[in-house]
Amino acid sequence: MFGKRFLLFYIGVMMTLVGWAQNITGVVTDAKTGQPIPFANVRYEKGGGGQTDTDGHFSLPFKAGRIYVSIIGYDTKNFKVSRPGHHQVKLDPTDLSFDEAVVTGRKDKYSRKNNPAVELMRKVIAAKKNNNLKEHDYYSIDRYSKLTLAFNEMTERVFQEGEFKKFAFLKEHVETCNETGKLILPLSVDEAVTRYIYRKDPETEKSIVLGKRSTGVNDLINTGEIMSTMLQDCFSDVDIYQDDIRLLQYPFTSPISSKTAIGFYRYFIEDTLQVDNEKCIHVSFTPNNSQDFGFSGNLYIVADSTYRVKRVQMGVPMRTGINFVEGMDITQVYEQLPSGEQVLIKDDMIVQLRLAKFIQKFQVRRTTEYSNYDFSKIPDKAFRFKGDQMTAANAMMQDEEFWEERRSEDLTASEDKMSLFIKRLEGIKGFKPVLFVGKAFIENFVETSVDPKHPSKVDIGPVNTMISQNFVDGLRLRASAQTTANLHPHIFLRGYVAYGFKDHRWKGLGEVTYSFNEKAYLPREFPVNNLTFTYNRDVMSPSDKFMPTDKDNVFISFKWTDVEHMMYYENYTLRWDREWENGVRFKLQLRTEENEPTAALFYQPLIAGSGPTKQGYLGKIRTTDLTAALTYQPGAKWMNTKQRRIAANNDAPIYSLSHTTGVEGVLGSDYTYNVTEAGVYKRFWMNSWGKIDVNLKGGVQWNKVPYPLLIMPAANLSYIIEDNTFNLIDNMEFLNDRYASLMLSWDMNGKLFNRIPLLKKLKWREFIGCNVLWGTLSSKNNPFLEKNAGDARLFYFPGTFDAETGTYDYLSHVMDKKTPYVEVVAGIHNIFKLFHIQYVHRLTYVDRPDTQKWGIRFMLRVKF
């Protein structure tokens, strides 16, 4: 998550945007109750202005004159301003009486019993079923969306002070946002036209992307889709007819949720009024607890027996504790179809962001329009494509006429000149070197070309592996590179060479991938259908295979324990990797590997009547195996980076099953073995109590094998937090042939800390977790049992000889099948909105003198 949001952070730093705008700020409240008034109009007499946010706050660029504050249900108030400052504005409720609606006040204690607002909302919720389009046999809908990222509050002073004064040409691209009245500088524009199709029997929902284009700062980044994907995932569509709404990567309760809305929200009837020539009842709503994931705003409900929602204006209360969001306004307009259903036709969202005080503010605006609701029969062939979504072959090549036909509003002048904006940015002296360094830091790779006309065909990196260290290598230097689709869209090369100054050995990797799908930049782009051959010769500790990042990443090369048991390995791997749009992924892999123990690690077959000795070691062992693995991750969304593909979010469940078979004698293999593993991951959202992640795994080694082929726990030996690993299990500490593990983590999102004023202000978030491992070693693989004495198929477990006494101290142990390994975690996340720190405590298997009973782990992770 760090890389995703750091893109926005870097854009701000890259431009060195300093200087503070002079603003008129204030808060609008009800004169009688003192409650903040959201969505009040705050306008200058001569034009320009905005609205209050969900907490009643407003901020306008200063200009001398008179300001008018108005909203339906209150008397308009105006005041004169001659200098920047903060204003308290109290509005008096309009003295209205209505036959159709009873205005409910906020002075008395809120009660749902005999509350006309609550009774009205029950009827609105009950009427939702009348708007279910899936009652039709077929339907199709066209959707146009535009997502604009812009710098916000780009006042004259911003260009007069700080580094912005060097970029005077940017003034030509600054424009006024009609909805907020603020000056903005658009940075990127993403447009898409999608057709949704549905049939009832067999029930099928599909979407076809008819047009798609992106202009702006994305053009500066070869993996620029990461920004578009991130913005679309965080600022996704809002459908109040769904019980839960996913926004900013959190689940919010809809104000008309069938399950929880009545208990979650407080409703107040405010007024009756005309909305688009229909008489409507105005209902305001707010969460019972402003820290919960809900909305505050206004519903306008048609005043007839249909109880249709005509319009919605709402936002997120700032007390929710979401990072970086200073304000959010969502406006939705609904319309009745000839068939009677009330459907969404326009959805407008504006979000004000501030990543840091020294970075210029951002604005994200998403405009979505729905049209051409049609219930005609759709040919079966329209549904005959794999996955839930298909992108038309010409989607990225649609001409301007296509876009003009589908926009209800033209692009603004600055949005239309985005290509010129990027061209002028690239022409700034010193901009390209700054961009080059910034991209290397963010993407962890260095491009070999900075000319957009001749994009990079080879990237150097990962940067964070160039210098590292370990017990065997000592100081280690590595040079790495990979080719891109600019060299060939189907064939990709990757490799590195490394040298250890302690063991004086060269290591390396060479890999060639053929992608059956044409790629935009790298072969891992979703969906993959790749055939890959890899040669790898290097050194690692056995526990390193569980680390999801590079084994020689400089940040994880520093360990909390001495890692002296290591091995050289040389392997050849042929892998076919295929995934489908529905979330299914299949991997078939053939691998042969030779392992050579080094440092304190050795391979010694059991000797009858004797323990480990310093003689009779095996120099190497060879294995050859075939692995088939199946993973199902429905609904997963991916972002491509140059180093790896990462999930846009972790909400999608993961189901996995794999089996590995090794056969003695095949390509020189020394052993026969079979390993089966299965796993399930699931995230549970607990509303205002945050989220719980559950990861359950299990596995069996079915054959009699020496310890290198037994199952080791996923141990993390570094100080850096790595998800789904054990924090205090040492290298090869437990060796099992049957295991089950449960990893449970609960991010409470500040639910408890928010009750402490100082911690609430800091936005710290509490985190707890528990990792459990059940393991056993069957008698056939236990080298400590008398019946296995002298069995050369088994090895002595790894350990060390005491230099003075000559005694042998075992590093690896057999678990008690009745006693699981347990460690608990307590952490503080979101320190400075960036830093996570966790305390880990080990509860079992603590009797051995060298056992680490506790530890501190940390990481950098940015999230809303």
Side-chain angles (χ1 to χ4, degrees):
M1 301 296 282
F2 175 76
K4 295 188 289 185
R5 298 201 174 84
F6 191 81
L7 283 167
L8 291 179
F9 180 87
Y10 178 70
I11 291 170
V13 175
M14 180 180 68
M15 302 292 293
T16 323
L17 304 181
V18 297
W20 293 84
Q22 289 186 316
N23 290 338
I24 294 291
T25 62
V27 60
V28 179
T29 59
D30 186 304
K32 291 185 177 181
T33 66
Q35 293 287 328
I37 300 177
F39 308 111
N41 298 306
V42 185
R43 300 281 182 180
Y44 282 103
E45 184 178 22
K46 296 184 179 180
Q51 286 186 326
T52 59
D53 62 20
T54 51
D55 290 324
H57 295 280
F58 68 87
S59 177
L60 302 178
F62 168 72
K63 56 183 178 181
R66 187 164 292 276
I67 290 178
Y68 286 78
V69 182
S70 63
I71 188 173
I72 294 175
Y74 290 88
D75 294 337
T76 299
K77 178 168 285 190
N78 67 83
F79 57 93
K80 188 176 182 179
V81 293
S82 57
R83 65 175 65 88
H86 186 79
H87 297 265
Q88 298 279 346
V89 184
K90 298 180 180 181
L91 298 185
D92 295 311
T94 303
D95 184 14
L96 297 172
S97 61
F98 302 97
D99 295 329
E100 297 87 349
V102 178
V103 179
T104 58
R106 294 179 173 82
K107 283 186 176 181
D108 300 328
K109 183 178 179 181
Y110 184 82
S111 173
R112 294 180 180 84
K113 187 177 182 180
N114 298 323
N115 186 329
V118 173
E119 294 307 313
L120 173 63
M121 291 309 302
R122 291 187 193 277
K123 294 176 180 179
V124 172
I125 292 170
K128 285 170 56 177
K129 63 179 182 294
N130 299 326
N131 301 304
N132 185 8
L133 299 182
K134 292 184 179 180
E135 294 298 320
H136 294 270
D137 292 334
Y138 298 90
Y139 70 73
S140 64
I141 309 168
D142 287 346
R143 173 185 179 271
Y144 166 80
S145 65
K146 181 179 74 171
L147 189 68
T148 303
L149 172 69
F151 281 133
N152 199 15
E153 298 185 8
M154 298 294 292
T155 61
E156 187 65 30
R157 184 168 181 175
V158 173
F159 289 99
Q160 293 174 349
E161 298 182 0
E163 295 298 323
F164 238 141
K165 59 186 178 184
K166 298 179 181 179
F167 311 129
F169 75 90
L170 293 178
K171 291 183 182 181
E172 300 175 25
H173 297 272
V174 172
E175 60 189 17
T176 301
C177 176
N178 293 330
E179 287 69 27
T180 65
K182 296 180 180 181
L183 297 173
I184 62 172
L185 175 63
L187 299 173
S188 69
V189 179
D190 293 282
E191 292 183 285
V193 173
T194 307
R195 176 165 296 160
Y196 296 99
I197 57 176
Y198 168 83
R199 69 180 173 193
K200 194 172 186 178
D201 186 23
E203 187 170 16
T204 312
E205 291 182 83
K206 301 268 189 175
S207 60
I208 305 169
V209 180
L210 303 176
K212 183 178 181 181
R213 72 176 185 179
S214 177
T215 57
V217 293
N218 285 348
D219 298 337
L220 300 174
I221 305 172
N222 283 323
T223 52
E225 277 199 2
I226 186 173
M227 180 177 292
S228 300
T229 305
M230 178 195 69
L231 291 173
Q232 291 164 8
D233 184 64
C234 294
F235 306 104
S236 51
D237 291 342
V238 173
D239 182 0
I240 65 169
Y241 280 87
Q242 296 292 325
D243 290 333
D244 296 306
I245 298 168
R246 190 176 180 282
L247 186 63
L248 300 173
Q249 299 187 327
Y250 290 100
F252 287 78
T253 298
S254 166
I256 59 173
S257 168
S258 302
K259 297 186 297 184
T260 57
I262 296 299
F264 186 88
Y265 286 101
R266 296 184 179 189
Y267 300 97
F268 304 92
I269 295 178
E270 303 285 0
D271 200 352
T272 58
L273 66 161
Q274 295 288 321
V275 178
D276 296 335
N277 298 319
E278 287 193 273
K279 182 181 287 187
C280 294
I281 301 172
H282 172 199
V283 177
S284 66
F285 60 91
T286 187
N288 286 314
N289 185 340
S290 60
Q291 297 173 9
D292 289 347
F293 291 117
F295 300 96
S296 291
N298 303 278
L299 290 167
Y300 299 88
I301 301 160
V302 177
D304 61 18
S305 60
T306 63
Y307 300 103
R308 294 174 286 119
V309 175
K310 181 65 177 177
R311 184 184 294 268
V312 181
Q313 290 178 311
M314 62 185 186
V316 177
M318 292 303 100
R319 292 182 183 179
T320 303
I322 296 174
N323 287 332
F324 313 119
V325 177
E326 288 196 332
M328 174 183 289
D329 296 318
I330 300 171
T331 301
Q332 296 187 330
V333 179
Y334 292 80
E335 186 177 87
Q336 189 175 29
L337 297 176
S339 54
E341 295 91 354
Q342 192 81 347
V343 296
L344 180 64
I345 60 170
K346 187 167 184 179
D347 180 11
D348 202 355
M349 176 192 296
I350 297 179
V351 183
Q352 315 291 331
L353 299 174
R354 179 160 222 165
L355 304 185
K357 289 185 178 180
F358 57 90
I359 300 297
Q360 188 69 27
K361 295 181 181 181
F362 289 91
Q363 174 179 290
V364 175
R365 183 183 179 189
R366 178 182 53 73
T367 301
T368 309
E369 298 167 357
Y370 298 89
S371 61
N372 299 329
Y373 285 84
D374 190 353
F375 301 104
S376 302
K377 183 177 180 179
I378 302 173
D380 289 344
K381 65 180 181 180
F383 295 91
R384 290 174 186 162
F385 59 85
K386 297 177 181 179
D388 296 328
Q389 185 178 86
M390 178 183 72
T391 301
N394 61 341
M396 307 286 286
M397 301 178 288
Q398 298 288 8
D399 58 21
E400 196 60 35
E401 183 180 353
F402 169 89
W403 293 104
E404 290 176 355
E405 288 178 355
R406 285 156 178 82
R407 298 184 190 119
S408 63
E409 299 177 1
D410 293 336
L411 295 179
T412 66
S414 295
E415 290 172 343
D416 201 33
K417 295 189 297 184
M418 196 58 63
S419 298
L420 175 62
F421 169 70
I422 295 302
K423 184 176 181 180
R424 298 177 82 173
L425 273 183
E426 292 177 327
I428 297 174
K429 184 179 180 180
F431 178 81
K432 288 186 177 180
V434 172
L435 179 64
F436 179 82
V437 174
K439 289 167 66 175
F441 180 74
I442 296 170
E443 299 176 330
N444 205 22
F445 278 80
V446 177
E447 297 174 5
T448 54
S449 173
V450 294
D451 185 356
K453 296 181 180 179
H454 301 90
S456 179
K457 297 180 179 179
V458 178
D459 291 344
I460 307 299
V463 174
N464 60 12
T465 63
M466 291 183 174
I467 302 177
S468 62
Q469 61 86 32
N470 62 61
F471 183 79
V472 172
D473 278 313
L475 175 65
R476 173 185 171 107
L477 300 182
R478 168 174 152 174
S480 315
Q482 63 184 17
T483 66
T484 75
N486 297 317
L487 182 65
H488 197 287
H490 292 279
I491 300 175
F492 299 86
L493 305 176
R494 183 173 73 95
Y496 69 79
V497 292
Y499 184 76
F501 285 84
K502 182 178 177 180
D503 67 349
H504 303 291
R505 284 203 189 189
W506 288 94
K507 294 91 179 174
L509 175 143
E511 181 176 278
V512 56
T513 296
Y514 179 80
S515 173
F516 295 94
N517 301 330
E518 184 173 318
K519 296 300 180 180
Y521 200 80
L522 291 172
R524 65 183 69 96
E525 295 163 4
F526 180 85
V528 300
N529 186 9
N530 299 339
L531 185 64
T532 302
F533 177 77
T534 306
Y535 170 76
N536 193 195
R537 180 180 181 181
D538 213 325
V539 66
M540 71 173 185
S541 69
S543 293
D544 281 344
K545 65 182 179 181
F546 301 107
M547 301 303 291
T549 186
D550 294 281
K551 309 303 179 282
D552 50 356
N553 182 327
V554 65
F555 298 109
I556 66 169
S557 64
F558 298 95
K559 312 291 187 181
W560 56 265
T561 183
D562 294 330
V563 183
E564 300 178 357
H565 293 72
M566 302 184 70
M567 65 182 186
Y568 293 107
Y569 64 92
E570 182 179 42
N571 61 45
Y572 300 83
T573 305
L574 181 64
R575 181 177 65 255
W576 177 52
D577 200 356
R578 172 74 190 273
E579 64 185 346
W580 290 263
E581 289 81 355
N582 60 4
V584 173
R585 185 169 187 171
F586 178 73
K587 182 180 77 172
L588 188 65
Q589 174 180 286
L590 176 65
R591 180 186 62 179
T592 182
E593 179 170 301
E594 186 175 76
N595 292 334
E596 176 188 352
T598 187
L601 189 67
F602 63 88
Y603 300 153
Q604 185 177 33
L606 299 186
I607 303 172
S610 172
T613 67
K614 296 185 178 181
Q615 299 177 350
Y617 295 166
L618 293 180
K620 300 176 181 178
I621 63 172
R622 175 170 288 280
T623 58
T624 300
D625 53 47
L626 180 68
T627 298
L630 186 67
T631 303
Y632 179 47
Q633 197 170 357
K637 295 182 179 180
W638 302 98
M639 294 185 299
N640 300 307
T641 71
K642 290 185 177 180
Q643 191 166 7
R644 65 180 57 84
R645 190 180 69 175
I646 55 179
N649 60 73
N650 294 316
D651 289 347
I654 306 173
Y655 308 94
S656 61
L657 177 66
S658 67
H659 183 80
T660 297
T661 296
V663 181
E664 183 177 357
V666 175
L667 299 179
S669 177
D670 298 321
Y671 305 100
T672 294
Y673 52 93
N674 289 272
V675 180
T676 304
E677 291 187 283
V680 176
Y681 162 84
K682 186 75 172 71
R683 168 168 288 180
F684 299 91
W685 281 97
M686 312 298 290
N687 293 322
S688 62
W689 285 92
K691 59 182 179 289
I692 296 177
D693 289 344
V694 180
N695 200 335
L696 180 64
K697 291 183 178 180
V700 179
Q701 165 63 267
W702 301 98
N703 296 85
K704 186 171 204 172
V705 292
Y707 79 78
L709 298 178
L710 294 175
I711 302 172
M712 285 176 280
N716 175 19
L717 306 181
S718 77
Y719 292 99
I720 306 298
I721 297 171
E722 288 288 353
D723 296 333
N724 303 319
T725 59
F726 293 95
N727 297 281
L728 289 173
I729 292 182
D730 209 338
N731 183 31
M732 296 189 299
E733 182 176 353
F734 301 118
L735 297 174
N736 305 306
D737 57 13
R738 284 158 177 76
Y739 84 97
S741 67
L742 172 65
M743 296 184 176
L744 186 147
S745 62
W746 187 359
D747 182 350
M748 290 188 279
N749 202 53
K751 183 68 173 181
L752 301 180
F753 283 177
N754 283 341
R755 302 176 188 275
I756 304 172
L758 176 60
L759 299 184
K760 178 181 177 181
K761 184 176 181 180
L762 293 172
K763 290 190 175 182
W764 286 4
R765 299 170 181 173
E766 61 281 90
F767 175 94
I768 58 175
C770 182
N771 300 325
V772 184
L773 173 69
W774 292 269
T776 185
L777 189 64
S778 60
S779 60
K780 67 175 179 288
N781 283 318
N782 192 335
F784 299 103
L785 297 181
E786 183 64 29
K787 74 170 191 174
N788 292 323
D791 191 336
R793 289 176 296 177
L794 302 182
F795 294 171
Y796 291 106
F797 274 10
T800 55
F801 288 96
D802 188 286
E804 296 181 359
T805 64
T807 59
Y808 187 75
D809 182 24
Y810 282 100
L811 172 69
S812 301
H813 305 275
V814 177
M815 296 187 69
D816 181 350
K817 61 182 178 181
K818 296 182 179 180
T819 305
Y821 168 87
V822 181
E823 65 182 26
V824 292
V825 182
I828 300 175
H829 289 190
N830 208 47
I831 301 173
F832 306 119
K833 303 179 183 179
L834 179 69
F835 192 65
H836 293 203
I837 187 169
Q838 294 179 180
Y839 169 80
V840 188
H841 189 78
R842 178 168 171 162
L843 299 182
T844 57
Y845 297 96
V846 295
D847 297 333
R848 289 185 290 274
D850 295 333
T851 299
Q852 284 268 9
K853 298 180 177 64
W854 65 276
I856 302 294
R857 305 291 180 265
F858 60 90
M859 73 178 306
L860 301 179
R861 178 176 288 175
V862 183
K863 60 182 180 178
F864 283 106

